[in-house]
Amino acid sequence: MSVVNILNGQVVTCVAFSPNGSQIISGSYESVRVWDTSTGAQVQQFNGHTDWVTSVAFSPDGSQIISGSHDKSVRVWDASTGAQVQQFHGDTHSVISVAFSPDGSQIISGSSDESVRVWDASTGAQVQQFNGHTGRVTSVAFSPDGSQIISGSYESVRVWDASTGAQVQQFNGHTDWVTSVAFSLDGSQIISGSRDKSVKVWDASTGAQVQQFNGHTHSVTSVAFSPDGSQIISGSSDESVRVWDASTGAQ
């Protein structure tokens, strides 16, 4: 196991693995860094943001990296050279969450301006804007087939048609900010974590709540499915990571 150290005592706000697992990206104040997973050595540093980097992600083929920032921009970087390929402007407040579509052709961003935006990854053109949330959008993700987008905000999770921008579903039930959302690998379920300390599982097609996991004693900050969909993990401000049985809700 290697330990990756960020110099100068900077807080790390977000991390992600490359698709092949050989590299890790991290976001911090004004910079994005790329690390060798096996050695912990820094491979690249991307400078250009003028405020905290809030979200980072690799493209599906690992050739590009995206970053969102409090400086209101989304940037696309060449993973091998560190060159900035694109910069997307349009969000009027902090960009909080970014993600690539499964085929890498589009990028989504969730912002404090209460919008979800879809961008053409190659041209930087804005393709769609989804409005409806009444608070900052804290987390966004594409469905595995790229046909839908989910977004989390205050007390609700919304599902959007990626091509038309129409709202398909709205999941209500959380009693505080939704902090993290994710699709299952087959796209049939959606999970959400919230400051209300709970993790909820939703049926993606009907919007029905399937499970609720209680156990965290503080805000849930991040959630994810296991690759086979049988388990769910959640991270929390209570300093714990919990693993749940997706079907039974047992910890």
Side-chain angles (χ1 to χ4, degrees):
M1 181 183 73
S2 61
V3 178
V4 172
N5 294 307
I6 301 295
L7 301 179
N8 303 321
Q10 288 191 359
V11 172
V12 178
T13 55
C14 46
V15 292
F17 271 103
S18 62
N20 65 6
S22 66
Q23 293 184 326
I24 293 168
I25 46 174
S26 61
S28 189
Y29 184 67
E30 295 187 348
S31 72
V32 177
R33 300 181 190 224
V34 184
W35 311 86
D36 184 287
T37 305
S38 59
T39 67
Q42 183 176 310
V43 180
Q44 292 281 354
Q45 180 171 336
F46 310 152
N47 298 310
H49 284 295
T50 58
D51 206 330
W52 286 97
V53 175
T54 55
S55 183
V56 291
F58 269 98
S59 61
D61 65 1
S63 66
Q64 293 185 326
I65 290 166
I66 51 172
S67 55
S69 169
H70 283 316
D71 67 11
K72 308 176 189 177
S73 74
V74 178
R75 298 174 191 244
V76 184
W77 313 86
D78 185 292
S80 59
T81 67
Q84 184 177 304
V85 180
Q86 290 285 349
Q87 182 172 340
F88 308 155
H89 292 289
D91 290 295
T92 57
H93 290 285
S94 300
V95 176
I96 302 176
S97 182
V98 294
F100 268 103
S101 62
D103 64 1
S105 66
Q106 292 184 326
I107 290 166
I108 49 174
S109 60
S111 169
S112 292
D113 66 12
E114 304 179 358
S115 73
V116 178
R117 297 173 194 253
V118 184
W119 311 86
D120 185 293
S122 59
T123 67
Q126 184 177 308
V127 180
Q128 292 280 353
Q129 180 172 335
F130 309 154
N131 298 309
H133 284 296
T134 56
R136 63 183 180 273
V137 178
T138 55
S139 184
V140 292
F142 271 98
S143 61
D145 65 2
S147 67
Q148 293 184 326
I149 290 166
I150 50 173
S151 55
S153 184
Y154 184 67
E155 296 187 350
S156 73
V157 178
R158 299 182 189 229
V159 184
W160 312 85
D161 185 291
S163 59
T164 67
Q167 183 177 307
V168 180
Q169 292 281 352
Q170 180 172 337
F171 309 153
N172 298 310
H174 284 295
T175 57
D176 206 330
W177 286 97
V178 175
T179 55
S180 182
V181 293
F183 268 100
S184 61
L185 192 61
D186 64 2
S188 66
Q189 292 186 325
I190 291 167
I191 49 173
S192 55
S194 169
R195 286 185 182 175
D196 67 11
K197 308 174 189 176
S198 75
V199 178
K200 294 177 185 281
V201 184
W202 312 87
D203 184 292
S205 60
T206 67
Q209 183 179 309
V210 180
Q211 290 283 350
Q212 178 171 329
F213 309 152
N214 298 309
H216 285 294
T217 57
H218 290 286
S219 300
V220 176
T221 55
S222 185
V223 293
F225 270 101
S226 62
D228 64 1
S230 66
Q231 294 183 321
I232 290 167
I233 53 171
S234 56
S236 169
S237 297
D238 66 12
E239 302 179 357
S240 74
V241 177
R242 299 177 189 241
V243 184
W244 313 86
D245 185 293
S247 60
T248 67
Q251 184 174 305

